[in-house]
């Protein structure tokens, strides 16, 4: 596997000073962590909100102050912005979240697999142009870094959404089904 050599990203948090002027209140290296214990995939959480619309009234600079409880990928009624570095040849878990995700490729390439795709037949959708975006709308999916040598870096902005509810056919009858979020590891 290619040695990890992606640069450390910056996190800039803006706010207002005592005179009401806009100012950068935090400029720091973003803190990276393991995405899943034991994994070499890296996750950088930039910011989270606990409600939508969010309040810009406070001057808090640490999202753990904004959302003190344990947090997951999607914040109920809120949002999250994070960056993921996926190693060459690795994949994410197969998962679904009740959210709208804006996934923007920064470097490398990613292949998106959905229920109708086959990893064996390589029928996923590959994006490799920086700035390309996938709008993920509550579907079950997983990501693969198709490169054997280059890390993939992407930013995900996740906004809480209602779970997907579809009419599906079962035993010749149409029924409403709520598609719950979860992971298949």
């Amino acid at each position: 596997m290619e040695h990890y050599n992606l640069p450390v990203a910056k996190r800039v948090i803006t706010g207002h000073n005592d005179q009401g002027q806009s100012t950068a209140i935090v400029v720091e290296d973003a803190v990276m962590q393991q995405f899943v214990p034991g994994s070499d995939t890296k996750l950088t959480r930039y910011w989270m909100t606990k409600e939508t619309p969010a309040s810009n009234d406070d001057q808090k600079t640490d999202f753990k102050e904004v959302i003190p409880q344990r947090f997951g990928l999607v914040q109920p009624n809120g949002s999250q912005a994070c960056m993921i570095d996926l190693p060459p040849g690795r994949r994410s878990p197969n998962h679904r979240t009740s959210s709208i995700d804006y996934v923007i490729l920064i470097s490398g390439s990613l292949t998106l697999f959905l229920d109708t795709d086959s990893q064996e037949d390589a029928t996923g959708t590959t994006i490799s142009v920086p700035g390309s975006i996938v709008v993920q709308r509550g579907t079950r999916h997983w990501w693969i870094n198709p490169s054997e040598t280059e890390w993939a870096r992407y930013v995900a902005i996740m906004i809480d959404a209602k779970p997907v509810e579809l009419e599906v056919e079962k035993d010749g009858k149409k029924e409403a089904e709520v598609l719950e979020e979860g992971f298949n590891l």
Side-chain angles (χ1 to χ4, degrees), residues 112-125:
L112 169 67
F113 285 89
L114 303 167
D115 289 343
T116 55
D117 297 321
S118 165
Q119 187 172 340
E120 290 76 30
D121 298 333
T123 57
T125 302

Side-chain angles (χ1 to χ4, degrees), residues 85-97:
D85 292 341
L86 188 61
R90 299 292 171 85
R91 64 168 280 176
S92 72
N94 184 347
H95 62 286
R96 174 194 323 271
T97 55

Side-chain angles (χ1 to χ4, degrees), residues 5-168:
N5 61 357
L6 295 176
V8 174
K10 289 285 186 195
R11 184 174 86 115
V12 178
I13 308 297
T14 64
H16 297 90
N17 64 20
D18 292 340
Q19 291 77 41
Q21 298 169 309
S22 60
T23 186
I25 54 178
V26 171
V27 178
E28 63 187 7
D29 288 346
V31 176
M32 193 174 294
Q33 62 192 67
Q34 283 183 314
F35 187 68
V36 177
S39 165
D40 47 6
T41 298
K42 301 181 184 328
L43 171 72
T44 302
R45 294 181 195 264
Y46 289 119
W47 193 252
M48 295 182 208
T49 64
K50 62 182 177 183
E51 60 192 2
T52 304
S55 171
N56 287 324
D57 293 338
D58 66 49
Q59 294 294 316
K60 292 181 178 154
T61 59
D62 185 342
F63 57 78
K64 292 174 189 159
E65 294 175 8
V66 177
I67 303 173
Q69 70 272 20
R70 185 178 176 278
F71 45 82
L73 279 180
V74 178
Q75 296 307 306
N77 302 311
S79 67
Q80 177 176 198
C82 62
M83 179 176 69
I84 298 104
D85 292 341
L86 188 61
R90 299 292 171 85
R91 64 168 280 176
S92 72
N94 184 347
H95 62 286
R96 174 194 323 271
T97 55
S98 294
S99 59
I100 295 176
D101 305 344
Y102 303 100
V103 179
I104 305 157
L105 182 69
I106 303 300
S107 65
S109 60
L110 284 172
T111 301
L112 169 67
F113 285 89
L114 303 167
D115 289 343
T116 55
D117 297 321
S118 165
Q119 187 172 340
E120 290 76 30
D121 298 333
T123 57
T125 302
T126 299
I127 57 173
S128 57
V129 175
S132 296
I133 187 168
V134 173
V135 179
Q136 182 64 34
R137 298 175 46 211
T139 58
R140 185 176 25 253
H141 65 286
W142 69 97
W143 301 97
I144 293 179
N145 177 348
S147 174
E148 294 180 14
T149 59
E150 187 179 357
W151 283 72
R153 173 173 276 182
Y154 56 103
V155 169
I157 299 154
M158 297 170 273
I159 302 169
D160 189 32
K162 295 177 183 174
V164 173
E165 188 170 332
L166 298 174
E167 251 190 40
V168 295

